[in-house]
Amino acid sequence: MTTEPGAPRRADEALRAAVGHLALAGVPDPRVDAELLLAHVLGVGRGRAQALALMGSTLPQALAERYRALVLRRGTREPLQHLTGVAPFRRTELLVGPGVFVPRPETEVLVEHALLGLPEGGRVVDLGTGSGAIALSIALERPDAQVLGVERSPEAFAWAERNREHLDAGNARIELGDLADAAPEWEGSVDVVVSNPPYVPDGMIPRDPEVERFDPPAALYGGVDGLDPMRALARTAAHLLKPGGLLAVEHGELQGEPVRALLGDVWRDATTHPDLTGRDRVTTARLR
């Protein structure tokens, strides 16, 4: 990509160059990302950015150079969300950046299962809340609920607390702590425990460079079989939940059966559910 010094550049030309560069870099959806970056630079929505490009609008030199710099960074597979500073998730837009796991669309299915199991005025604990995506989505969609997000990473905790303030989720709080011994003051009084824990086996390399290079390793890897955090959170959930309370966890597409097996006799009705692409992604169970 090149930019003629001192002169504005047509938005359609800049967009075409960006799409070509991102395609060569192996970015999965080069046009989508190029348009979203252009919208970010212009401070408009994606549809408006598309319209400006179709009209052949010009970019002032400063904006053209900024756009070029962001496209080059995206070409190194730096996550789009790190470049724009936000990640859409269900009905929210979360603040994200280095030091926190970028929420994925498949996790929205996990939130749906948690909401289905949440009674009126119920309590929810999100173990390993990361950016706060799960906890804050539940809090905003169910203002009658009391929601607690627990996160052990100070960097991720800071992002989650920032998002709580950003989204004005008054019925949620974020706590710095470990999922293995979280929220003892709520023991036996919780209706839903939800979690998207680390579940990648230690020897496995994630297929996406964005994940491998930029997501925090502590948010990815879960021991030899990937299920060490799952074992810990199942024990914690058994202490926190009321009898009949719901546990909902996300896991890898091949981990449904071992997750159900590790839950054991403490739980009943263990069921694995697909995500929107048909991959086994969420397991739910109820405390006996």
Side-chain angles (χ1 to χ4, degrees):
M1 298 183 65
T2 59
T3 303
E4 182 183 351
R9 180 169 182 176
R10 286 170 55 111
D12 56 340
E13 295 172 348
L15 184 60
R16 280 196 298 273
V19 172
H21 179 78
L22 296 181
L24 285 173
V27 172
D29 297 301
R31 174 161 293 277
V32 172
D33 285 17
E35 290 174 348
L36 289 171
L37 286 174
L38 182 60
H40 173 66
V41 166
L42 294 174
V44 299
R46 181 183 171 197
R48 179 59 178 163
Q50 291 170 327
L52 291 171
L54 284 172
M55 291 187 295
S57 301
T58 57
L59 295 176
Q61 185 67 23
L63 290 186
E65 290 176 354
R66 184 180 173 210
Y67 182 53
R68 176 179 181 275
L70 289 175
V71 170
L72 291 175
R73 288 172 63 186
R74 183 69 186 106
T76 69
R77 305 302 292 270
E78 187 172 349
L80 175 71
Q81 298 88 344
H82 284 195
L83 302 177
T84 63
V86 296
F89 188 82
R90 287 183 68 88
R91 303 176 189 177
T92 67
E93 193 170 67
L94 296 153
L95 307 176
V96 295
V100 71
F101 183 80
V102 175
R104 308 293 197 267
E106 55 265 30
T107 303
E108 296 186 10
V109 175
L110 174 64
V111 174
E112 197 65 37
H113 283 285
L115 288 169
L116 287 171
L118 180 59
E120 185 73 20
R123 282 182 165 179
V124 182
V125 176
D126 175 20
L127 296 174
T129 196
S131 66
I134 296 169
L136 297 174
S137 290
I138 293 172
L140 291 171
E141 293 180 42
R142 286 290 302 274
D144 59 288
Q146 299 178 62
V147 183
L148 171 64
V150 180
E151 176 55 52
R152 71 175 181 178
S153 162
E155 293 83 7
F157 168 80
W159 283 107
E161 181 61 23
R162 194 177 307 166
N163 278 314
R164 189 191 64 79
E165 295 174 358
H166 167 67
L167 296 171
D168 193 25
N171 59 325
R173 64 185 175 93
I174 309 298
E175 183 177 281
L176 187 63
D178 195 291
L179 62 79
D181 55 5
E185 72 280 7
W186 274 13
E187 184 169 342
S189 69
V190 175
D191 297 282
V192 177
V193 170
V194 62
S195 181
N196 178 17
Y199 53 73
V200 178
D202 285 349
M204 183 179 292
I205 298 175
R207 67 172 66 95
D208 296 328
E210 290 85 349
V211 176
E212 179 193 0
R213 300 175 193 169
F214 295 95
D215 276 332
L220 296 176
Y221 297 102
V224 174
D225 64 354
L227 297 178
D228 287 350
M230 195 75 70
R231 295 181 182 95
L233 77 86
R235 290 191 294 269
T236 301
H239 290 295
L240 292 175
L241 288 169
K242 302 173 181 177
L246 180 72
L247 172 65
V249 293
E250 181 175 324
H251 49 71
E253 60 192 88
L254 301 178
Q255 293 175 325
E257 184 176 351
V259 167
R260 294 194 304 274
L262 72 81
L263 291 176
D265 295 337
V266 175
W267 304 88
R268 61 175 173 84
D269 303 331
T271 308
T272 298
H273 312 270
D275 63 16
L276 296 178
T277 67
R279 296 183 176 93
D280 284 347
R281 183 66 61 184
V282 172
T283 291
T284 58
R286 290 192 177 272
L287 187 67
R288 289 189 184 277

